[in-house]
Amino acid sequence: MAERAFSRATRHFVAELDEAAQWHMAWTRKVLRCAVLRAHPGDDVLSSDAQHCCRFDRWLESHRECLARIDATTLRRLDRNHRQMHEAARRLCGRILGGEPGDAAELDSFEHAQAGVVAALALLKNSYLAHSARLDPLTGLPLRHGLEEEFERCHAQARRHGELLVAMILDLDRFKTVNDLHGHAVGDLALRHAAALLKHHCRMGEPVIRFGGEEFLALLQTADRDAAQRAVQRILQALRDSPLSLPTGEKLGLRASAGLTEVDEGESMAEAIDRADRALYAAKSAGRDTWRWADRRADQALAGA
């Protein structure tokens, strides 16, 4: 059901984007009618802030934050061409309505900007679809696609800020029992609940990824190991303090285990994740609902809380 809902959301967004492109073409026809029939095109063509008067711009503003996250470069290109298109259209129509002949250079500017708007919209559509394919339809978290690049980005950022990069793998305890006793629909609710809590308790800029099954990966940037340990303790406690509300009105307590490791200079993502996974196994072996820290130099899991 979650996958179908996510697909509906994707289809709805793409349909809106296609409709926005149609609004833009309808606006262009008003410019054409002005040029041929000298008909007044309206304020969304002649106003000094015409680019903010058109229906297309209102749609763009309502989705700006989402589009900026997906493809900020193309969004800036769309803004630039949209502004230039309106400026050229205003000058062209103003001359025509004033009884002057149209200017070829202004027409070229209008056509160039219009082509840029259409091309940018096509790129944004493709970027959105590619972005959607990289998200887990159940939890909305990123999947493993692009994880290597994200790992390198976080490692470089941690170095710049003088912080540690800590890989944390978190796994819901006895999740099979949840599915067996309550059904997979409740299991889906549990995964979404855990994902939301994990995302909420990680800092902005710290990736949280659905790593597979009931397992999540977070890349924490912390001042030191103590800070990382406090972070995982907060996450596990938040899960203890926030039972899942079931459709029946019942409360379902969820628990998780976690493995942490510091990412060393020059270390590959695979090495760090493998070590965090061993720490997770140590936490499970210690009785679950706890965490363990894997130290590269000692190559062993140290005691957690």
Side-chain angles (χ1 to χ4, degrees):
M1 184 171 68
E3 291 190 13
R4 290 198 297 272
F6 185 81
S7 297
R8 283 199 301 272
T10 302
R11 289 197 298 270
H12 179 71
F13 184 90
V14 170
E16 278 196 343
L17 194 150
D18 289 340
E19 187 178 8
Q22 291 303 312
W23 295 336
H24 162 256
M25 296 310 297
W27 176 89
T28 300
R29 287 193 289 273
K30 295 167 71 173
V31 176
L32 178 62
R33 291 181 67 83
C34 176
V36 175
L37 303 176
R38 297 183 182 274
H40 194 287
D43 290 340
D44 56 353
V45 175
L46 296 178
S47 173
S48 59
D49 64 342
Q51 74 181 89
H52 299 305
C53 296
C54 70
R55 189 177 179 184
F56 170 78
D57 186 74
R58 291 194 292 272
W59 174 85
L60 187 61
E61 286 303 313
S62 68
H63 293 86
R64 179 170 297 278
E65 185 177 346
C66 171
L67 293 172
R69 286 197 306 270
I70 294 170
D71 192 345
T73 300
T74 300
L75 180 60
R76 287 193 295 270
R77 189 182 309 154
L78 175 61
D79 282 335
R80 182 175 65 251
N81 281 294
H82 186 229
R83 183 185 67 253
Q84 292 173 354
M85 183 185 71
H86 271 279
E87 290 172 350
R90 184 176 66 251
R91 290 192 293 266
L92 273 171
C93 291
R95 288 175 63 90
I96 291 167
L97 292 176
E100 301 178 52
D103 182 82
E106 290 290 4
L107 182 59
D108 288 342
S109 177
F110 172 79
E111 291 177 338
H112 178 77
Q114 182 190 47
V117 167
V118 172
L121 279 174
L123 281 174
L124 282 175
K125 181 177 180 178
N126 288 337
S127 295
Y128 180 83
L129 290 172
H131 175 77
S132 298
R134 292 194 295 268
L135 294 179
D136 171 35
L138 178 63
T139 63
L141 294 179
L143 295 166
R144 295 191 190 196
H145 303 282
L147 181 54
E148 289 271 5
E149 293 82 358
E150 194 76 342
F151 176 84
E152 293 300 330
R153 180 191 68 79
C154 291
H155 206 176
Q157 184 170 293
R159 283 196 301 270
R160 283 197 305 272
H161 296 163
E163 295 181 318
L164 301 182
L165 178 63
V166 174
M168 179 184 75
I169 295 182
L170 181 141
D171 185 270
L172 290 181
D173 292 333
R174 296 187 169 88
F175 184 70
K176 184 178 183 301
T177 302
V178 173
N179 279 329
D180 290 345
L181 292 179
H182 301 279
H184 288 278
V186 170
D188 287 350
L189 290 175
L191 288 170
R192 286 202 294 270
H193 181 71
L197 279 175
L198 184 56
K199 186 70 175 175
H200 177 74
H201 286 277
C202 287
R203 295 189 306 174
M204 185 175 295
E206 294 179 333
V208 177
I209 293 153
R210 187 175 180 195
F211 203 58
E214 62 272 22
E215 200 168 71
F216 302 91
L217 169 69
L219 298 175
L220 311 177
Q221 296 174 50
T222 64
D224 50 38
R225 288 190 176 200
D226 287 343
Q229 291 165 186
R230 288 193 297 271
V232 70
Q233 287 167 356
R234 282 196 303 272
I235 291 166
L236 295 184
Q237 190 60 49
L239 199 57
R240 297 177 193 122
D241 294 341
S242 304
L244 173 65
S245 297
L246 301 182
T248 60
E250 298 175 84
K251 299 289 186 179
L252 176 63
L254 298 172
R255 299 292 184 268
S257 302
L260 295 87
T261 190
E262 178 184 344
V263 180
D264 291 336
E265 188 66 34
E267 183 175 25
S268 72
M269 181 188 74
E271 290 176 305
I273 289 178
D274 181 65
R275 195 165 56 254
D277 197 48
R278 293 202 302 274
L280 171 65
Y281 181 78
K284 294 284 188 183
S285 298
R288 299 180 173 85
D289 190 23
T290 187
W291 59 271
R292 289 293 184 267
W293 187 287
D295 185 81
R296 186 183 192 187
R297 288 164 291 278
D299 196 29
Q300 62 183 6
L302 304 181

